[in-house]
Amino acid sequence: MRIPTVLAALTLAFTTSTAQAQSKKVYISVDMEGISGINGDNQTSAAGAEYGRARKLMAEDANAAIRGAFAGGATEVVVNDSHGSQRNLLPEDIDPRVRLISHSFKRHGMMEGLDSTFAAIIFVGYHAKAGSPRGVFAHTGSGVLADLQINGQSVGEGGMNALLARWYGVPVVMVTGDDVAIEEQRVTVPTVRGVVVKRAINSRAVELRPLVDARRDIEQGAKESVAAARPVPPQRLPQYTVRMTFRDPTIPEVATAFREVRLVSPTSVEFTRDAMPDAYRLIRVLYRFINTD
Ligand SMILES: [Zn+2]
């Protein structure tokens, strides 16, 4: 190889590794129940009278997190719409620097598109898990679940998503929502930065913070937590045993069509998968894609 060719190759290698070292991809999963200013059924369902307003509020919280992520050093931001139809965020309302993942027909739902190339994860608009007496709109998944346990630990959406994040070795650096959602997230991610945008009085009534204050804190929190994000080693457990307890026995009975799904009580099923992404997919199929009409 001639010297200039060697130099050119070395320069290319250096440029590539420098670019990789400097790239910082941030993943933002946006739910709706824990968005600033939202506390009504007619806001969170697409047929509701205030849905149009609510999706704008959702975009504003997402945009605050996006601004903060870029200010904290993100070179690329991917936003995943994570509520209901997962088609709430309008591309025209979202910061034009991001790519938006849209529609609920996804294998990994609220975490679609996540892989180990990301440097940090932010949960925006999250809520408490099923059975939490005080969290606003407390539920897990589609609402058919009474409880979800992974390896014996009861988790909500934030907990389940954090286990998937850990599988890929990507830190969950920030969560926004009501105070109960933040408390619950700390059980699975003790180091997470929480931005409380409203205080839950019970499962419906809330004390809302002024929108401008909430969005300022989301932006600031995202900036600082993305700037401070450090890689974490992937944590891959030997097995993921999942127990899903449903509100009624209809789905569990049908779910035993999957050979590995065992009925452990009239309302509970259990199954085991070796990898968290596989467990996540089956959890999602069981709570979302079995039609009980
Ligand atoms: Zn939701």
Side-chain angles (χ1 to χ4, degrees):
M1 198 185 280
R2 291 185 307 127
I3 297 294
T5 315
V6 172
L7 282 177
L10 285 173
T11 309
L12 179 66
F14 177 75
T15 313
T16 309
S17 66
T18 308
Q20 278 169 352
Q22 287 173 348
S23 87
K24 197 170 212 181
K25 285 172 72 177
V26 174
Y27 184 94
I28 305 181
S29 169
V30 190
D31 203 350
M32 201 169 202
E33 291 85 350
I35 292 292
S36 315
I38 287 184
N39 75 316
D41 284 324
N42 67 352
Q43 296 175 309
T44 55
S45 86
E50 291 189 35
Y51 175 67
R53 271 188 65 223
R55 66 201 306 194
K56 299 275 181 197
L57 292 169
M58 185 180 179
E60 288 306 320
D61 276 15
N63 282 336
I66 295 163
R67 284 193 302 275
F70 278 114
T75 53
E76 193 180 333
V77 174
V78 173
V79 171
N80 183 23
D81 192 326
S82 298
H83 172 75
S85 68
Q86 303 190 348
R87 291 187 62 248
N88 311 281
L89 292 170
L90 297 168
E92 59 267 37
D93 289 342
I94 285 288
D95 191 310
R97 293 172 290 180
V98 308
R99 284 179 289 123
L100 175 64
I101 299 177
S102 185
H103 203 291
S104 67
F105 205 67
K106 302 164 174 162
R107 291 177 176 183
H108 295 113
M110 303 176 85
M111 300 297 274
E112 184 69 28
L114 181 75
D115 59 31
S116 53
T117 65
F118 285 87
I121 298 170
I122 295 173
F123 296 153
V124 172
Y126 272 42
H127 53 80
K129 67 181 181 179
S132 297
R134 186 169 63 88
V136 183
F137 295 115
H139 70 280
T140 301
S142 60
V144 295
L145 289 175
D147 189 33
L148 169 66
Q149 291 185 15
I150 302 178
N151 291 338
Q153 183 181 22
S154 175
V155 291
E157 296 169 15
M160 172 171 90
N161 294 346
L163 282 173
L164 189 66
R166 216 175 284 167
W167 170 273
Y168 287 115
V170 186
V172 178
V173 296
M174 189 176 100
V175 58
T176 81
D178 71 14
D179 57 321
V180 182
I182 308 301
E183 264 170 44
E184 288 184 2
Q185 192 68 66
R186 291 207 170 107
V187 174
T188 46
V189 189
T191 56
V192 77
R193 178 168 180 146
V195 177
V196 175
V197 302
K198 51 194 165 191
R199 183 178 68 83
I201 294 168
N202 53 47
S203 65
R204 285 293 179 271
V206 292
E207 181 180 295
L208 298 169
R209 292 186 61 205
L211 295 178
V212 66
D213 291 357
R215 291 171 190 158
R216 182 199 60 224
D217 288 356
I218 293 171
E219 183 173 347
Q220 185 69 20
K223 179 183 170 183
E224 292 174 7
S225 55
V226 166
R230 295 291 173 267
V232 291
Q235 189 186 86
R236 301 188 171 180
L237 304 176
Q239 280 197 327
Y240 293 84
T241 297
V242 176
R243 177 182 286 231
M244 301 172 75
T245 302
F246 293 81
R247 294 192 186 283
D248 76 59
T250 317
I251 295 174
E253 192 210 335
V254 171
T256 56
F258 295 91
R259 194 166 292 150
E260 73 272 54
V261 174
R262 305 177 298 277
L263 200 61
V264 293
S265 85
T267 54
S268 298
V269 295
E270 209 171 88
F271 65 87
T272 298
R273 287 278 168 112
D274 294 340
M276 185 57 201
D278 290 344
Y280 195 105
R281 286 178 66 182
L282 187 49
I283 292 168
R284 182 163 173 78
V285 165
L286 295 181
Y287 77 61
R288 185 166 186 98
F289 294 113
I290 294 177
N291 188 343
T292 56
D293 288 345

